């Protein structure tokens, strides 16, 4: 049977659009542009009712799959297979002619929304997936009707009840079904560019700090923004090409066994919580002197670098609880020397400057002198510094260009400290974040990537941030400055309102995520056990709130005078049916006559009013 009715396609088109939106969320701009092209292509063919040869469609399908695989760098991850389903949906949409075609279209959409519901951990995605599920099942129902159903108030309430009735099923499905991740690499591919690179050259942070993708959230506990130095990697080796590389904890343990002596370790009462995004890497951002409290067996710790790594790639959001501590340590001579090593390729100009300026100064005075040099002399901070003729030319930066990013200042500071016999290293991670004043939490994005310095002094590593030595008037125009200036012009009110609205949306997503990811395997087992034993738990109550809400609304909407009399009429006859032999087929008059005389006298007035309402 051909589907010529456009109203079937109106709902189908909405479902199609919503499905593609869910499939193509959180993709790079170029990949999103590719999906927009596919969508417009499908829409034009649909509106113009153009016919395309099956062979051409098949070739276009193969080409689309290859292009999407290229965008995923030939990695057959779970996300790629979801995109494959989206592409198949597009080509199914192009050729809906019969009910069986529409049925297969609805099945694909159903699969997309269920997959999103079971995997999504943000509020917007979950709401959209729920709407898509309700619309898709409604489309199943409508496509099997022989006559067109008008969307009046009665039918709208009917579908609303149907949708709310699905919510408990959706919730139970989410609470019971486990989540798994499968990834298969076909070829050697580039690594995830979120996080900190494995080596630092001058200009490295310029490449990684352009993304505004969210990485983690700090649930605030009276933290000050200048305290929030979240460490990820420590760079302590510099090679002949003056590239900085990190030493793994395993390497340092093998090379320097028993090289660290812990003199004092005191756990603090101060704890903090992080919500980690699914950035598909194993690095973990932590504050200095921190230990993980929740599931510590899932992470490896480096005592040398005071950093953590997850033993598995982080592929779903996690809530991690951490505790601060104080510690004093002693490094042996071999490890101290390791943090002093420099290649012979360090310029003689830098060596001479360090020798000259260290004379007559303590280590602390000398380090402050370096900071004062950055502060007093003509140094600038810039996202787009001039490029030196030579790669990693720290001497050229320090004496001539005097304009750079955080890795320029941190790298130069460590080199000058080591030249003066002071053990030092570069620490990288994320600084500051953005405070959401509505929910009192900090959001950290990739663009918050930063590099600073740690210097060994008196049994502990002391933080120095050379970038902060640059005066504000010598920070050249950045994207953040442009946004700040825009907020101070004639659009200040609009910008402020938009920011407030954005903060509220972020807060709702934060509350949703926090509740969602706290639902772990133990809670899942407990929920299943409650279902088996028919135990009424908090989750079960919350699940059935929507359907209960609808039943209340539906009941109130039905409270017309006629229905109120009808309900009372049923109560009157409830105990009289068998006794007075009243039948369901009896009319109002026949039912009244079968009542006993005393009952007739009692309900005479009621029957008169009911008859008047019933036939009015």
């Amino acid at each position: 049977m051909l589907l010529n009715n456009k109203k079937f396609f109106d709902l189908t088109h909405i479902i199609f659009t919503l499905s593609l939106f869910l499939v193509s969320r959180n993709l790079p701009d170029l990949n999103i542009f590719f999906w927009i092209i596919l969508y417009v292509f499908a829409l034009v063919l649909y509106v113009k009712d153009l016919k395309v040869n099956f062979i051409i469609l098949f070739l276009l399908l193969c080409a689309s799959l290859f292009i999407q695989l290229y965008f995923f760098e030939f990695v057959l991850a779970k996300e790629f297979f979801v995109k494959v389903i989206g592409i198949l949906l597009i080509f199914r949409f192009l050729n809906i002619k019969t009910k069986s075609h529409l049925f297969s279209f609805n099945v694909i959409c159903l699969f997309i929304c269920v997959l999103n519901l079971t995997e999504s951990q943000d509020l917007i995605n979950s709401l959209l997936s729920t709407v898509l599920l309700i619309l898709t099942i409604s489309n199943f129902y409508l496509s099997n009707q022989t006559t067109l159903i008008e969307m009046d108030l009665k039918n709208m309430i009917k579908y609303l009840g149907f949708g709310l009735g699905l919510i408990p099923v959706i919730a139970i499905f989410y609470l019971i079904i486990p989540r798994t991740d499968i990834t298969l690499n076909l070829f050697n591919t580039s690594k995830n560019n979120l996080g900190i690179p494995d080596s630092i050259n001058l200009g490295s942070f310029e490449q990684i700090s352009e993304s505004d993708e969210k990485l983690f959230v700090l649930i605030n506990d009276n933290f000050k923004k200048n305290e929030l130095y979240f460490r990820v990697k420590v760079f302590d080796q510099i090679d002949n090409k003056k590239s900085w590389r990190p030493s793994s904890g395993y390497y340092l343990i093998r090379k320097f066994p028993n090289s660290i002596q812990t003199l004092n370790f005191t756990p603090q009462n101060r704890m903090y919580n992080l919500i980690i995004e699914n950035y598909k890497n194993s690095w973990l951002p932590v504050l200095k002197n921190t230990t993980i409290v929740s599931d510590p067996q899932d992470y490896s710790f480096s005592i040398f670098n005071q950093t953590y790594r997850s033993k598995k790639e982080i592929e779903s959001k996690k809530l991690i609880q951490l505790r601060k501590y104080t510690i004093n340590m002693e490094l042996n001579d071999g490890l101290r020397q390791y943090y002093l090593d420099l290649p012979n390729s360090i310029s003689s100009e830098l060596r001479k400057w360090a020798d000259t300026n260290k004379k007559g100064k303590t280590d602390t005075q000398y380090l402050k002198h370096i900071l004062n040099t950055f502060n007093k002399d003509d140094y600038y901070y810039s996202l787009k510094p001039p490029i030196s003729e030579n790669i990693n030319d720290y001497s050229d930066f320090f004496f001539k260009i005097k304009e750079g990013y955080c890795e320029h200042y941190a790298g130069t500071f460590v080199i000058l400290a080591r030249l003066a016999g002071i053990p030092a290293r570069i620490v990288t991670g994320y600084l500051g974040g953005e405070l959401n004043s509505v929910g009192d939490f900090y959001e950290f994005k990739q663009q918050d990537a930063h590099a600073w310095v740690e210097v060994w002094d008196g049994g502990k590593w002391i933080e120095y941030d050379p970038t902060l030595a640059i005066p504000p008037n010598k920070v050249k125009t950045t994207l953040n400055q442009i946004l700040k200036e825009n907020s101070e012009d004639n659009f200040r009110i609009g910008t402020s309102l938009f920011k407030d609205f954005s903060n509220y949306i972020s807060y709702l997503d934060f509350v949703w995520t926090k509740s969602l990811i706290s639902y772990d395997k133990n809670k899942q087992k407990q929920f299943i056990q409650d279902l088996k034993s028919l135990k009424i738990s908090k989750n079960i109550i919350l699940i059935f709130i929507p359907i209960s809400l609808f039943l209340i609304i539906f009941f109130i909407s039905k409270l017309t005078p006629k229905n109120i009399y009808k309900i009372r009429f049923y109560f009157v006859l409830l105990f009289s049916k068998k006794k007075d032999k009243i039948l369901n087929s009896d009319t109002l008059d026949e039912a009244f006559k079968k009542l006993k005389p005393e009952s007739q006298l009692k309900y005479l007035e009621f029957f008169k009013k009911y008859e008047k309402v019933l036939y009015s």
Side-chain angles (χ1 to χ4, degrees):
M1 173 183 175
L2 293 177
L3 294 177
N4 295 320
N5 195 323
K6 275 285 182 181
K7 291 208 173 182
F8 282 118
F9 280 99
D10 289 342
L11 181 58
T12 301
H13 184 226
I14 293 171
I15 293 171
F16 174 67
T17 303
L18 187 55
S19 297
L20 288 194
F21 178 76
L22 286 171
V23 167
S24 59
R25 285 190 75 208
N26 302 322
L27 288 175
D29 292 342
L30 193 59
N31 200 174
I32 289 178
F33 182 69
F34 167 68
W35 279 87
I36 292 174
I37 292 174
L38 288 178
Y39 175 73
V40 172
F41 169 72
L43 195 60
V44 169
L45 292 184
Y46 159 68
V47 172
K48 300 293 184 181
D49 197 22
L50 299 176
K51 310 298 180 185
V52 182
N53 185 276
F54 174 77
I55 296 176
I56 295 176
L57 278 178
F58 179 75
L59 293 175
L60 288 173
L61 172 63
C62 294
S64 300
L65 293 174
F66 178 81
I67 292 171
Q68 189 57 56
L69 187 61
Y70 172 79
F71 278 119
F72 273 79
E73 299 178 330
F74 300 97
V75 176
L76 293 183
K78 176 187 63 182
E79 290 80 5
F80 170 72
F81 289 108
V82 174
K83 305 304 177 282
V84 168
I85 294 169
I87 292 173
L88 293 176
L89 180 68
I90 292 173
F91 286 87
R92 175 74 284 174
F93 178 76
L94 289 173
N95 192 33
I96 299 178
K97 296 184 181 299
T98 66
K99 281 191 174 184
S100 62
H101 292 162
L102 185 57
F103 179 83
S104 61
F105 171 86
N106 287 330
V107 168
I108 296 173
C109 293
L110 197 63
F111 186 81
I112 288 173
C113 63
V114 170
L115 187 64
N116 273 277
L117 277 169
T118 55
E119 294 296 331
S120 66
Q121 292 179 303
D122 64 274
L123 179 61
I124 294 176
N125 197 69
S126 299
L127 290 176
L128 291 177
S129 299
T130 302
V131 170
L132 177 59
L133 182 59
I134 293 170
L135 292 178
T136 304
I137 295 179
S138 298
N139 205 31
F140 269 119
Y141 175 75
L142 287 172
S143 63
N144 284 288
Q145 302 303 305
T146 55
T147 58
L148 185 64
I149 297 176
E150 296 296 332
M151 292 308 293
D152 54 16
L153 181 61
K154 181 180 178 182
N155 283 323
M156 287 179 67
I157 293 176
K158 180 179 178 181
Y159 284 118
L160 175 62
F162 181 68
L164 289 172
L166 286 174
I167 292 177
V169 179
I170 296 168
I172 292 174
F173 186 83
Y174 168 78
L175 292 170
I176 292 177
I177 299 299
R179 290 149 189 77
T180 58
D181 296 283
I182 300 172
T183 301
L184 174 64
N185 288 348
L186 287 182
F187 308 105
N188 290 329
T189 60
S190 60
K191 293 185 178 180
N192 191 331
N193 59 359
L194 294 178
I196 306 299
D198 291 330
S199 63
I200 292 181
N201 298 294
L202 294 182
S204 294
F205 274 65
E206 178 186 337
Q207 300 169 13
I208 67 170
S209 298
E210 296 178 352
S211 170
D212 63 349
E213 188 161 347
K214 187 168 70 173
L215 297 178
F216 62 98
V217 171
L218 167 67
I219 302 174
N220 193 20
D221 185 19
N222 297 318
F223 280 102
K224 296 179 181 178
K225 194 165 184 175
N226 58 8
E227 296 178 310
L228 303 181
Y229 283 84
F230 281 89
R231 58 202 299 121
V232 171
K233 291 181 182 178
V234 174
F235 292 82
D236 48 22
Q237 288 180 302
I238 181 170
D239 58 26
N240 285 324
K241 294 181 180 180
K242 287 167 284 193
S243 293
W244 287 95
R245 301 185 184 279
S247 299
S248 70
Y250 300 112
Y251 170 79
L252 292 172
I253 287 174
R254 290 195 304 269
K255 188 174 179 65
F256 303 103
N258 303 317
S259 57
I260 295 181
Q261 182 181 0
T262 302
L263 303 179
N264 180 36
F265 177 87
T266 307
Q268 298 180 4
N269 291 328
R270 190 172 197 183
M271 302 182 74
Y272 64 97
N273 295 279
L274 295 178
I275 295 177
I276 307 296
E277 295 289 322
N278 52 335
Y279 46 65
K280 295 178 175 57
N281 218 312
S282 57
W283 56 266
L284 202 67
V286 296
L287 295 173
K288 183 181 177 182
N289 295 342
T290 287
T291 182
I292 292 180
V293 176
S294 55
D295 300 319
Q297 71 280 357
D298 294 340
Y299 309 94
S300 58
F301 175 68
S302 170
I303 185 65
F304 294 89
N305 300 326
Q306 292 188 323
T307 55
Y308 276 95
R309 292 185 70 84
S310 174
K311 293 179 181 178
K312 295 181 180 179
E313 282 193 357
I314 297 173
E315 296 185 327
S316 60
K317 291 185 180 181
K318 291 181 178 291
L319 177 63
I320 301 176
Q321 188 177 48
L322 306 100
R323 183 191 297 274
K324 294 279 291 178
Y325 62 81
T326 57
I327 189 171
N328 285 310
M329 300 181 293
E330 185 62 47
L331 308 184
N332 67 15
D333 292 340
L335 189 56
R336 286 171 61 88
Q337 182 58 46
Y338 186 74
Y339 294 120
L340 290 171
D341 287 346
L342 289 170
N344 295 328
S345 55
I346 298 297
S347 71
S348 58
E349 290 88 350
L350 285 174
R351 295 179 185 275
K352 183 178 179 180
W353 191 93
D355 289 340
T356 302
N357 288 276
K358 180 65 171 69
K359 289 179 181 178
K361 297 183 181 72
T362 64
D363 289 351
T364 301
Q365 289 171 339
Y366 172 70
L367 296 174
K368 287 183 178 179
H369 178 71
I370 299 174
L371 295 178
N372 286 333
T373 301
F374 289 144
N375 182 265
K376 303 295 184 184
D377 291 355
D378 206 20
Y379 286 91
Y380 290 85
Y381 176 89
S382 174
L383 287 172
K384 302 287 184 182
I387 300 175
S388 177
E389 294 181 3
N390 301 316
I391 297 175
N392 294 332
D393 195 336
Y394 285 93
S395 180
D396 200 31
F397 159 72
F398 189 64
F399 293 109
K400 296 178 183 178
I401 297 177
K402 297 186 176 182
E403 184 176 321
Y405 207 47
C406 58
E407 75 270 22
H408 292 73
Y409 291 97
T412 304
F413 190 96
V414 172
I415 290 172
L416 292 176
R418 290 189 176 190
L419 286 172
I422 305 171
R425 61 190 186 182
I426 299 175
V427 183
T428 60
Y430 297 90
L431 170 65
E434 182 177 0
L435 177 65
N436 184 304
S437 56
V438 178
D440 196 25
F441 59 88
Y442 285 92
E443 284 187 338
F444 286 80
K445 300 179 180 180
Q446 179 63 27
Q447 63 191 14
D448 295 315
H450 190 56
W452 61 97
V453 174
E454 284 184 343
V455 170
W456 182 255
D457 181 26
K460 53 188 174 182
W461 290 102
I462 306 297
E463 287 177 354
Y464 285 83
D465 193 345
T467 307
L468 296 183
I470 308 301
N473 63 335
K474 291 185 178 180
V475 176
K476 292 199 172 181
T477 303
T478 65
L479 178 62
N480 290 333
Q481 282 184 304
I482 294 172
L483 292 175
K484 184 178 179 182
E485 289 169 4
N486 285 341
S487 68
E488 294 173 351
D489 64 11
N490 294 331
F491 297 98
R492 177 183 296 176
I493 295 176
T495 305
S496 176
L497 289 174
F498 177 78
K499 185 173 179 62
D500 290 342
F501 177 75
S502 177
N503 281 341
Y504 276 106
I505 295 297
S506 295
Y507 172 65
L508 289 175
D509 185 62
F510 165 75
V511 173
W512 171 265
T513 302
K514 187 179 175 184
S515 302
L516 204 62
I517 60 180
S518 63
Y519 184 76
D520 53 19
K521 291 181 180 179
N522 293 329
K523 291 183 179 179
Q524 189 178 60
K525 290 179 181 177
Q526 183 60 47
F527 174 75
I528 295 172
Q529 189 61 39
D530 289 344
L531 282 181
K532 288 179 179 179
S533 60
L534 300 178
K535 181 180 177 182
I536 304 300
S537 65
K538 178 183 175 182
N539 283 334
I540 293 175
I541 292 173
L542 291 175
I543 285 170
F544 287 97
I545 281 178
I547 190 65
S548 303
L549 206 62
F550 169 75
L551 290 174
I552 293 171
I553 296 172
F554 182 78
F555 180 75
I556 293 173
S557 68
K558 292 291 184 180
L559 288 180
T560 61
K562 185 183 292 186
N563 287 332
I564 292 173
Y565 274 102
K566 186 182 291 186
I567 292 170
R568 189 179 173 190
F569 175 68
Y570 287 140
F571 274 104
V572 168
L573 301 183
L574 184 62
F575 301 104
S576 302
K577 276 191 174 184
K578 290 184 179 180
K579 188 167 55 176
D580 298 325
K581 297 181 180 179
I582 297 174
L583 304 176
N584 290 330
S585 58
D586 287 344
T587 63
L588 191 63
D589 187 54
E590 289 171 341
F592 180 77
K593 289 178 179 179
K594 288 183 178 181
L595 291 175
K596 290 183 178 181
E598 60 269 21
S599 296
Q600 288 180 347
L601 185 63
K602 180 179 180 181
Y603 294 114
L604 176 62
E605 192 66 28
F606 165 74
F607 271 80
K608 285 181 179 180
K609 290 182 180 179
Y610 183 32
E611 184 178 28
K612 184 178 180 181
V613 171
L614 187 62
Y615 298 109
S616 61

